[in-house]
Amino acid sequence: MEYQDSVIRRIVVVGDAYVSPAVLQEAAKTLPFSDMEIIPFLWGTGDKEEFAEMQTKLEHGGPDAVPYPEGLQDAMMTADLLLVHFCPVPEKLVLNARCLKLVGVCRGGYENIDASALRRHGVPLVHIIRNAEAVAEFTLGMMLAETRNIARSHHKICNGQWTSDFYNSGFTSTLKHMTVGIIGLGNIGALLARKLHALGVKLLGYDAFLPEDAIRQLPVAFVDSMEDVFRQADIVSLHLRLTSENRGIIGYELMSLMKPTAYLVNASRAGLIDESALIHVLANHKIAGAALDVFQHEPLSAGHPYLSLDNITLTPHIAGDTVDSIANSPFPLVQAITEYLETGNLRNVRNS
């Protein structure tokens, strides 16, 4: 797909408390088109507490759960591009957007966008994970923290215990001598694979939707099923988007395939894991351990079973929280949009 310079003229950007309209404007200015008019909007008031409330409503109720900014509907009637962070984009917003050629979103997911409606109207959705680098890096840290007892040692020392004796002491190993299985090789999974490959780690991968050309570019030995990953890997790392079809898919059946010396790592979506099954296998030492950054209910309650386990590393949903990844996310989004418009590459299009 190639767009002539004269086609892209009017760009609407909607910022919020975390990604400002000004940053979205600056990013939009780097698009390879001349004489662009960029129209900014702010979703909400810019207050972060208000943002958190609206975000929660969006995550549970979808793009129709929270209103978009006043005046945005009218602006969309002549817009060529729409760039957002968390602003909801329901179908009613694009019904009369006769010139709309693309919507771009720069956040971890795109639950705020009615992607199916955009597809019905012939509008591609370009999405980049704003904090993919941060999450991939953090996941590598979680692997080290759990397998080498880093956080566990710190906790014990702070509580007056000086010990090198842990549940996994009998089989503790360097990453280089372990096999890591990555389930889901999108932006984050691919970044993690490259980081681990640089450390000399043997990698297995499974992704039911990854195109063949993307598969060939990764340093991963692909297997035919998730079962193969769970059977063979010393560490299984989850990097899937949560859908109605895969909710709770990581249950006792898959966990029972794991080696008793293997670990499960999840910095993606809590809903992928059957929590009761994981608690069971950890409490009974059916697997070596787990490292989790996401949970069914956050924050964890004071009496949650995870808190009594000796083979788990817990972090409070902070894998993507770096000062650079969120605020600057419009710039890689615009790069992805430029790539799509100039070459037709679909790797960042989510509703093709």
Side-chain angles (χ1 to χ4, degrees):
M1 175 184 298
E2 291 187 5
Y3 279 82
Q4 297 298 319
D5 184 69
S6 60
V7 175
I8 305 299
R9 283 287 178 262
R10 204 160 191 257
I11 302 172
V12 174
V13 302
V14 188
D16 51 50
Y18 284 90
V19 175
S20 71
V23 173
L24 279 160
Q25 279 183 282
E26 288 304 308
K29 288 177 184 177
T30 67
L31 284 163
F33 306 108
S34 59
D35 300 324
M36 295 181 295
E37 179 186 10
I38 303 172
I39 305 166
F41 286 89
L42 176 67
W43 181 57
T45 63
D47 179 78
K48 291 186 177 181
E49 288 188 8
E50 176 200 52
F51 175 93
E53 292 176 4
M54 295 194 298
Q55 176 187 355
T56 299
K57 291 179 181 177
L58 269 175
E59 298 290 353
H60 289 89
D64 287 299
V66 185
Y68 44 77
E70 186 177 351
L72 181 59
Q73 182 81 58
D74 292 338
M76 289 303 300
M77 293 180 68
T78 54
D80 295 305
L81 300 182
L82 172 64
L83 308 182
V84 302
H85 180 227
F86 258 88
C87 176
V89 182
E91 184 168 20
K92 62 184 178 182
L93 184 61
V94 298
L95 279 175
N96 297 313
R98 304 301 183 191
C99 303
L100 189 62
K101 298 170 181 65
L102 183 145
V103 173
V105 58
C106 54
R107 51 164 295 223
Y110 49 90
E111 293 86 352
N112 55 317
I113 313 290
D114 190 336
S116 297
L118 290 180
R119 184 189 301 112
R120 289 194 296 273
H121 292 281
V123 179
L125 172 64
V126 173
H127 167 245
I128 59 99
I129 299 177
R130 61 185 181 183
N131 49 11
E133 185 72 40
V135 176
E137 183 178 275
F138 191 89
T139 303
L140 176 55
M142 292 175 75
M143 291 179 182
L144 290 167
E146 174 57 28
T147 63
R148 299 296 301 278
N149 301 301
I150 296 171
R152 201 167 290 122
S153 297
H154 172 82
H155 177 75
K156 285 186 177 292
I157 290 175
C158 288
N159 284 277
Q161 302 175 62
W162 186 275
T163 181
S164 59
D165 185 23
F166 299 98
Y167 167 69
N168 61 353
S169 295
F171 49 86
T172 299
S173 173
T174 58
L175 280 180
K176 189 172 181 179
H177 293 101
M178 303 176 82
T179 296
V180 174
I182 301 175
I183 297 178
L185 285 151
N187 292 342
I188 295 172
L191 281 170
L192 176 63
R194 294 187 178 101
K195 293 178 188 300
L196 289 166
H197 177 68
L199 297 175
V201 178
K202 180 181 177 182
L203 296 168
L204 301 176
Y206 174 76
D207 193 308
F209 305 101
L210 199 66
E212 270 189 48
D213 59 338
I215 291 174
R216 289 193 295 269
Q217 295 173 24
L218 295 174
V220 173
F222 275 77
V223 294
D224 294 329
S225 67
M226 283 198 293
E227 287 80 2
D228 289 336
V229 175
F230 276 81
R231 285 191 191 96
Q232 299 177 45
D234 298 301
I235 301 173
V236 177
S237 189
L238 305 179
H239 300 281
L240 299 171
R241 181 162 304 287
L242 182 64
T243 67
S244 57
E245 289 78 22
N246 67 15
R247 182 174 294 277
I249 194 172
I250 312 301
Y252 185 76
E253 184 176 347
L254 281 173
M255 293 180 211
S256 66
L257 300 175
M258 296 174 72
K259 305 172 187 178
T261 56
Y263 301 85
L264 180 63
V265 178
N266 188 19
S268 54
R269 292 290 188 265
L272 295 168
I273 293 178
D274 180 334
E275 189 176 85
S276 61
L278 180 57
I279 292 167
H280 174 79
V281 299
L282 290 172
N284 290 281
H285 292 133
K286 301 289 187 182
I287 65 173
L292 307 175
D293 184 55
V294 288
F295 308 92
Q296 299 282 8
H297 301 286
E298 299 177 1
L300 284 178
S301 61
H304 197 284
Y306 283 154
L307 303 178
S308 63
L309 297 171
D310 64 355
N311 53 352
I312 194 167
T313 297
L314 308 171
T315 53
H317 206 151
I318 57 172
D321 290 353
T322 63
V323 295
D324 56 333
S325 61
I326 297 176
N328 293 320
S329 58
F331 292 95
L333 172 62
V334 166
Q335 291 173 4
I337 289 171
T338 300
E339 177 186 10
Y340 170 70
L341 293 177
E342 292 183 343
T343 70
N345 191 316
L346 297 174
R347 69 189 182 97
N348 292 300
V349 175
R350 304 301 177 222
N351 64 339
S352 59

